[in-house]
C-alpha cells in the first residue's frame, strides 16, 4: 500500500515551523518527510537512497535500479542538516565538506537538486 502524500499546505506549514526555533518532534518529522517527498518527485528514480533517520528515507535519481541489500549510493544526514539543505540555508558542498552529510557511491550527490521549493 502506498503512503499518503503530505499536502502542500500541511508540508509547507511544517517546514516553516521546523525552520523556526520551537518546532516539536512531530512537526520536524512531517517537515523532513515532506521535503523527502518533494525530492523524490523532483528526481524520480531508484539509484540513490537519501536517509534522514529516524524520520524517513526515499529512493530517487534516475539510473540503475537498486532492489536488494544496502544500496550502492547512499546519502545520510540528520534532520537539522536536511532541513537546511532542502531550504537553501546550507549548500551541498558545505554540508559534505563539514561532514554533516555522509555520501557514498558515485551517484550519491544532491548537487543541483537542492534547495527544494516548498
Amino acid at each position: 500500500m502506498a503512503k499518503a502524500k503530505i499536502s502542500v499546505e500541511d508540508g509547507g506549514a511544517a517546514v516553516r515551523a521546523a525552520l523556526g526555533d520551537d518546532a516539536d518532534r512531530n512537526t520536524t518529522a512531517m517537515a523532513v518527510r515532506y521535503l523527502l517527498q518533494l525530492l523524490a518527485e523532483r528526481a524520480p528514480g531508484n539509484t540513490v537512497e537519501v536517509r534522514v533517520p529516524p524520520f524517513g528515507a526515499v529512493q530517487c535519481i534516475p539510473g540503475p535500479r537498486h532492489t536488494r541489500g544496502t544500496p550502492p549510493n547512499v546519502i545520510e544526514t540528520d534532520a537539522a542538516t536536511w532541513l537546511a539543505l532542502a531550504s537553501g540555508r546550507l549548500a551541498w558542498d558545505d554540508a559534505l565538506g563539514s561532514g554533516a552529510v555522509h555520501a557514498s557511491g558515485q551517484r550519491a550527490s544532491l548537487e543541483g537538486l537542492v534547495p527544494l521549493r516548498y
Side-chain angles (χ1 to χ4, degrees):
M1 184 159 94
K3 291 182 182 179
K5 290 180 88 172
I6 300 170
S7 71
V8 173
E9 296 80 21
D10 291 343
V15 171
R16 288 187 293 280
L19 290 172
D21 294 331
D22 58 348
D24 62 21
R25 181 177 170 84
N26 289 336
T27 301
T28 300
M30 180 181 282
V32 166
R33 290 179 185 128
Y34 178 66
L35 291 169
L36 287 170
Q37 173 184 301
L38 291 181
L39 175 64
E41 290 171 358
R42 181 172 183 183
N46 297 94
T47 298
V48 176
E49 185 167 292
V50 179
R51 300 175 180 167
V52 184
F55 300 120
V58 294
Q59 289 189 355
C60 58
I61 303 177
R65 182 174 179 84
H66 167 76
T67 57
R68 293 173 46 182
T70 301
N73 299 290
V74 176
I75 296 169
E76 188 166 333
T77 192
D78 61 88
T81 302
W82 172 241
L83 290 167
L85 276 169
S87 68
R89 293 182 177 189
L90 179 63
W92 171 253
D93 288 338
D94 293 338
L96 201 56
S98 72
V101 170
H102 175 74
S104 62
Q106 283 185 321
R107 297 174 182 257
S109 174
L110 296 180
E111 185 72 41
L113 295 174
V114 290
L116 300 165
R117 274 194 186 159
Y118 57 91

